[in-house]
Amino acid sequence: MSDNSPLSPSAMGRLESQLECLQLILQGATPEALDRRPGADKWSARENLAHLARYHQVLLERVELILREVQPALPRYRAEDDPEWPRWQAMSAEEIRLRLGHLRKQLVERIRSLPPEQLTRSGIHSRFGEMSLALWIEFFLVHEGHHLYVILQRVRSA
């Protein structure tokens, strides 16, 4: 069951501004705090940041696929299964932030350029089923918000 509503002004506003909190979240964070892992199976703040940046590329690819094909099947993204992930995981925090800023600008420009009817096109998520492009953007923003919270936790943990 597809959602036929366009992207809400709230979603567009969050897409344009949600990452502005990173400057404050990361302010004063030491390299040690950025790389500290709470457990062997948990990502550091830097790795969470890398995941956010890499997922921008993934979403941009998915947007183009949804626009090009009729209801393409889109598997759940898992960094551990992504051949590009080790390269992103190895980047410095500064390099990740620079790339993230560039990718966010690309994403905002691409979404802003779409006519409302294209935002109703859908892709099939392996877990959540059929989702309009507008809902994919909401999904992306909620996912991003979760990782921003984790980054805050990681850099502020004693």
Side-chain angles (χ1 to χ4, degrees), residues 64-121:
E64 296 310 318
L65 193 60
I66 290 169
L67 293 172
R68 193 172 52 248
E69 296 181 15
V70 176
Q71 296 185 331
L74 301 164
R76 178 177 172 225
Y77 175 76
R78 287 185 34 85
E80 297 80 6
D81 299 333
D82 180 357
E84 290 293 312
W85 175 238
R87 187 171 65 83
W88 282 91
Q89 195 176 26
M91 288 181 197
S92 71
E94 188 56 34
E95 184 176 1
I96 294 165
R97 286 179 71 181
L98 289 171
R99 289 178 185 231
L100 179 57
H102 176 71
L103 287 163
R104 185 52 154 251
K105 184 178 177 187
Q106 280 184 291
L107 181 59
V108 167
E109 288 173 359
R110 184 62 177 125
I111 298 305
R112 197 183 287 139
S113 76
L114 297 176
E117 63 273 7
Q118 287 195 323
L119 292 166
T120 64
R121 293 185 59 89

Side-chain angles (χ1 to χ4, degrees), residues 133-152:
L133 192 48
L135 187 54
W136 276 96
I137 299 301
E138 287 286 356
F139 171 66
F140 170 82
L141 289 165
V142 170
H143 174 253
E144 180 178 76
H146 162 76
H147 284 281
L148 291 168
Y149 174 68
V150 171
I151 291 167
L152 175 70

Side-chain angles (χ1 to χ4, degrees), residues 52-62 84 87-88 99 103:
L52 289 180
R54 172 64 181 133
Y55 198 68
H56 275 69
Q57 288 181 322
V58 171
L59 182 63
L60 282 161
E61 292 167 5
R62 289 179 174 202
E84 290 293 312
R87 187 171 65 83
W88 282 91
R99 289 178 185 231
L103 287 163

